[in-house]
């Protein structure tokens, strides 16, 4: 009985992986934020290295939804993480982009070293290629919702305009948060680290463009914005580095004062693409 169970389990495992080999790779919904980030990372490392234009950023840039971007773009912005995980992925990848677009809003967030564990391990690269059930997107819990014709709640995008009362409440809390200046040592350390990445990318012939995602206009007058911004521009002056033009903060709505609401994401991506085209970026 035990032998039959083992044989049946092996047969199911093989059949499942054979079926997955026919499945078009792509970013599945994910059951939680960490898994969604791993799915995105694996999709880039295993299938999309060498995309002409790669976006690296935080949850602010994660609102630049792939469906809105040109086909040659890959958005490697990771929700809840810093910019440095994405930078490290591009650095370690064999195939390099022509352009890397780096969001600078929250450069002072510390990187999560555990998120990339095993991503570039040669054995895991081989296993993910030939035994696709080891890919995060192919976990059964991620495949069932699409097969049943439904999407997981974590995948759904809120397309409704933000309620003004809720928005004002969230903005007030964000204004309180933005009175606190980030740790000066962390800012200094991260700026030096960012300089190293930019220098290394440029040495490889990659064109680096720095940009900001717009936030609510009131936040631009707070210490948490002004102090890091001053340090950032001192480290990366416009005369020496390539910056995208600053967007008009008043042209958009924000879900919490910081993150673009869905309709504004659509509007901003349209501006973003046109600004990059004017800057000479082609995909």
């Amino acid at each position: 009985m035990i032998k039959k169970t083992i044989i049946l389990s092996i047969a199911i495992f093989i059949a499942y992986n054979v079926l997955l080999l026919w499945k078009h790779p792509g970013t599945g919904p994910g059951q939680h934020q960490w898994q969604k980030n791993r799915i995105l990372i694996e999709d880039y490392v295993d299938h999309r290295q060498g995309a002409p234009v790669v976006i690296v950023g935080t949850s602010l840039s994660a609102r630049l939804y792939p469906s809105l971007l040109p086909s040659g773009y890959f958005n490697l912005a990771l929700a809840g993480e810093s910019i440095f995980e994405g930078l490290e992925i591009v650095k370690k990848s064999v195939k390099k982009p022509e352009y890397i677009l780096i969001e600078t809003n929250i450069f002072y967030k510390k990187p999560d070293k555990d998120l990339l564990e095993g991503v570039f391990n040669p054995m895991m690269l081989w296993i993910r290629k030939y035994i696709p059930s080891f890919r995060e997107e192919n976990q059964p819990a991620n495949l069932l919702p699409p097969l049943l014709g439904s999407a997981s709640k974590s995948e759904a995008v809120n397309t409704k305009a933000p309620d003004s009362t809720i928005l004002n409440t969230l903005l007030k809390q964000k204004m309180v948060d933005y009175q606190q200046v980030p740790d000066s040592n962390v800012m200094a350390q991260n700026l030096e680290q960012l300089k190293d990445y930019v220098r290394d990318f440029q040495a490889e012939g990659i064109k680096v463009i720095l940009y900001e995602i717009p936030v609510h206009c009131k936040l631009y007058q707070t210490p948490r914005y002004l102090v890091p911004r001053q340090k950032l521009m001192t480290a990366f002056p416009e005369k020496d580095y390539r910056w995208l033009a600053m967007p008009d903060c008043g042209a958009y709505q924000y879900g919490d004062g910081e993150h673009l609401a869905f309709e504004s994401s659509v509007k901003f991506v349209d501006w973003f693409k046109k600004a990059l085209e004017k800057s000479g970026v082609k995909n």
Side-chain angles (χ1 to χ4, degrees), residues 163-262:
D163 179 86
S164 58
T165 302
I166 296 175
L167 177 60
N168 288 332
T169 300
L170 292 172
L171 178 58
K172 287 179 181 178
Q173 181 57 53
K174 196 63 69 175
M175 289 290 292
V176 172
D177 295 341
Y178 266 61
Q179 300 309 308
Q180 302 297 320
V181 178
D183 184 273
S184 59
N185 291 329
V186 173
M187 282 194 287
Q189 188 176 44
N190 282 15
L191 283 172
E192 286 303 314
Q193 191 173 0
L194 182 55
K195 278 185 179 181
D196 289 341
Y197 277 111
V198 171
R199 183 178 60 250
D200 291 345
F201 290 144
Q202 291 176 333
E204 293 185 273
I206 301 171
K207 301 176 183 71
V208 178
I209 299 179
L210 307 172
Y211 73 94
E212 277 194 22
I213 290 283
V215 296
H216 196 285
C217 296
K218 289 185 177 180
L219 297 180
Y220 286 105
Q221 302 306 316
T222 61
R224 181 171 162 180
Y225 176 81
L226 291 171
V227 175
R229 173 70 179 176
Q230 188 274 325
K231 292 181 181 295
L232 180 68
M233 297 311 297
T234 299
F236 294 92
E238 290 182 289
K239 65 181 180 65
D240 297 325
Y241 295 89
R242 195 169 175 184
W243 281 87
L244 204 61
M246 284 286 288
D248 176 13
C249 60
Y252 308 101
Q253 284 188 306
Y254 308 89
D256 58 358
E258 236 182 6
H259 296 80
L260 290 165
F262 178 76

Side-chain angles (χ1 to χ4, degrees), residues 4-144:
K4 288 183 178 181
T5 301
I6 294 174
I7 293 174
L8 180 61
S9 298
I10 293 174
I12 292 173
F13 178 77
I14 293 172
Y16 182 57
N17 279 279
V18 169
L19 289 172
L20 289 175
L21 286 172
W22 291 93
K23 173 181 170 287
H24 188 274
T27 53
Q31 300 303 302
H32 45 77
Q33 184 170 282
W34 185 92
Q35 188 178 63
K36 290 175 74 172
N37 284 336
R38 283 288 296 208
I39 289 171
L40 184 65
I41 291 167
E42 288 180 1
D43 187 40
Y44 181 78
V45 172
D46 296 346
H47 303 287
R48 297 293 302 278
Q49 285 189 43
V53 183
V54 175
I55 299 170
V56 171
T58 66
S59 59
L60 302 184
S61 291
R63 299 294 179 100
L64 309 182
Y65 302 111
S67 60
L68 304 176
L69 294 167
S71 59
Y73 285 56
F74 190 94
N75 190 352
L76 198 49
L78 301 168
E81 303 296 342
S82 75
I83 62 174
F84 294 103
E85 291 84 0
L87 292 171
E88 186 66 11
I89 291 165
V90 175
K91 180 180 178 180
K92 287 186 175 180
S93 296
V94 176
K95 298 178 182 178
K96 307 296 185 182
E98 182 178 356
Y99 293 91
I100 182 166
L101 315 177
I102 305 176
E103 173 213 309
T104 60
N105 293 62
I106 313 178
F107 70 84
Y108 43 80
K109 186 177 177 63
K110 291 182 178 181
D112 176 6
K113 297 180 181 179
D114 294 335
L115 183 63
L116 303 185
E117 185 177 354
V119 170
F120 288 95
N121 182 291
M123 179 61 71
M124 289 306 302
L125 286 168
W126 186 92
I127 289 174
R128 291 200 305 268
K129 182 177 180 179
Y130 294 105
I131 312 179
S133 61
F134 280 84
R135 291 172 55 81
E136 286 290 338
E137 69 171 318
N138 290 331
Q139 300 303 308
N142 291 328
L143 295 178
L144 282 176

